[in-house]
């Protein structure tokens, strides 16, 4: 049984069809990195996995449970799925420890002592054992994102979803967050990661999925998709991402919709 199974997934916002028939599986323990230009549907795909976006058509299953079944207990399914967003979404009035405890208390109904123990374990897991009593305003962006990861891990998920978790960070802070994600991959965590970090995808992913225009254009091992892509659209995208200085002045970059 696949950890994530997506079949015929479509999503429209009014007349705009963002996902146009996605078929994708993520196996247990697999790290899948989803890459592609802005507007290709990557984040929408991720948000459909835990029903933050309601699919227009198709099915999504997570650990055997059909997320898209109208009768599903979506709260129960979401407990199996950890999600980390671009923004950290931390409570500013709570310490790092409090932020990691609160969902355990409210959702899992854990007692204070157990929730605190789990929170401390997971903050240490992401390298923040010395920041447990710090408030978000006292933390760097990278540290806040690691608190968000610890918060998701504290819920005991079977699957972790990452939606461009480093895109809001200063370049010098990216490495610490990616280091935590590398550690999770080594531990065998099933991960689906939307990212522009090609070095991370090349190093950590078992499979890279390139999306454009709401479809999967190609997928395969990083050595295939990143180093030797078979589709011209993938080659064009990667040439811009890996060597942005090569874009000609005045050329319209279809990946951003702006002059290159």
């Amino acid at each position: 049984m696949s950890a994530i199974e997506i079949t015929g997934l479509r999503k429209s916002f009014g007349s705009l069809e963002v996902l146009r028939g996605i078929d994708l599986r993520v196996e247990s323990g697999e790290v899948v990195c989803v890459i592609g230009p802005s507007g290709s549907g990557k984040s929408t795909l991720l948000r459909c996995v835990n029903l933050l976006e309601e699919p227009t058509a198709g099915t999504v299953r997570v650990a055997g449970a059909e997320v898209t079944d109208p009768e599903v207990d979506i709260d129960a399914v979401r407990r199996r799925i950890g999600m980390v967003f671009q923004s950290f979404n931390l409570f500013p009035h709570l310490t790092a420890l409090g932020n990691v405890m609160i969902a355990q208390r409210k959702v899992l109904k854990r007692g204070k002592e157990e929730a605190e123990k789990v929170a401390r374990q997971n903050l240490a897991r992401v390298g923040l054992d010395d920041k447990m009593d710090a408030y978000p305003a006292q933390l760097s962006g990278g540290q806040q994102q690691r608190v968000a990861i610890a918060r998701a891990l504290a819920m005991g998920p079977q699957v972790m979803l990452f939606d461009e978790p480093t895109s809001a960070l200063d370049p010098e802070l990216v490495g610490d967050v990616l280091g935590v994600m590398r550690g999770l991959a080594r531990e065998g965590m099933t991960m689906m990661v939307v990212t522009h970090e090609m070095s991370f995808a090349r190093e950590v992913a078992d499979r890279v999925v390139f999306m454009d225009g709401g479809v999967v254009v190609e997928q395969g091992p990083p050595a295939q998709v990143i180093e030797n892509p078979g589709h011209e659209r993938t080659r064009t995208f990667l040439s811009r991402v890996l060597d942005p200085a090569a874009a000609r002045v005045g050329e319209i970059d279809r990946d951003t919709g702006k002059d290159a």
Side-chain angles (χ1 to χ4, degrees):
M1 180 178 63
S2 301
I4 301 172
E5 184 177 350
I6 300 166
T7 306
L9 185 65
R10 293 180 177 272
K11 175 61 181 178
S12 296
F13 296 98
S15 61
L16 177 63
E17 191 172 28
V18 177
L19 299 177
R20 300 190 291 127
I22 301 290
D23 296 312
L24 184 65
R25 290 173 179 255
V26 179
E27 303 304 328
S28 180
E30 188 178 23
V31 178
V32 172
C33 284
V34 184
I35 65 173
S38 298
S40 60
K42 309 183 301 296
S43 292
T44 301
L45 171 63
L46 211 63
R47 292 171 67 86
C48 284
V49 171
N50 63 359
L51 222 62
L52 290 177
E53 295 288 356
E54 185 85 34
T56 304
T59 60
V60 177
R61 290 182 173 84
V62 177
E66 185 181 337
V67 176
T68 44
D69 183 346
E71 303 299 320
V72 73
D73 182 348
I74 189 59
D75 291 331
V77 175
R78 282 179 179 151
R79 290 171 197 154
R80 308 177 189 178
I81 307 170
M83 186 156 185
V84 178
F85 301 87
Q86 298 177 34
S87 55
F88 320 125
N89 298 319
L90 301 180
F91 291 107
H93 65 288
L94 296 178
T95 63
L97 187 66
N99 268 284
V100 180
M101 288 177 61
I102 188 168
Q104 298 182 67
R105 300 293 308 278
K106 299 289 187 181
V107 178
L108 300 183
K109 307 301 181 185
R110 286 177 179 161
K112 181 179 179 181
E113 185 175 329
E114 182 185 5
E116 182 174 339
K117 178 182 177 181
V118 172
R120 289 184 179 277
Q121 289 172 342
N122 282 286
L123 283 166
R125 189 177 178 185
V126 300
L128 291 176
D129 42 336
D130 61 338
K131 298 292 185 182
M132 297 194 187
D133 296 324
Y135 289 88
Q138 299 170 314
L139 300 173
S140 70
Q143 290 168 337
Q144 290 184 61
Q145 189 61 292
R146 284 187 280 158
V147 173
I149 294 172
R151 177 181 57 192
L153 292 172
M155 304 297 283
Q158 295 174 260
V159 171
M160 286 287 287
L161 308 178
F162 293 87
D163 186 6
E164 299 192 32
T166 61
S167 65
L169 303 180
D170 292 336
E172 64 186 30
L173 303 177
V174 168
D176 290 340
V177 173
L178 294 181
V180 168
M181 294 170 66
R182 287 187 183 95
L184 294 177
R186 286 194 296 268
E187 293 172 13
M189 175 65 72
T190 304
M191 297 163 60
M192 190 170 173
V193 185
V194 171
T195 185
H196 288 298
E197 300 288 345
M198 292 302 118
S199 60
F200 175 82
R202 185 186 288 114
E203 174 190 346
V204 178
D206 296 298
R207 184 157 42 104
V208 173
V209 175
F210 174 68
M211 287 183 64
D212 187 33
V215 300
V216 173
V217 176
E218 74 177 286
Q219 60 178 300
Q224 172 190 320
V225 176
I226 296 177
E227 306 297 339
N228 189 29
H231 196 282
E232 177 60 30
R233 181 67 189 104
T234 315
R235 289 194 290 271
T236 301
F237 170 77
L238 287 170
S239 69
R240 296 183 182 281
V241 172
L242 298 175
D243 188 13
R248 294 188 298 274
V249 174
E251 181 181 15
I252 297 298
D253 183 349
R254 65 174 289 189
D255 295 336
T256 64
K258 300 177 181 178
D259 285 345

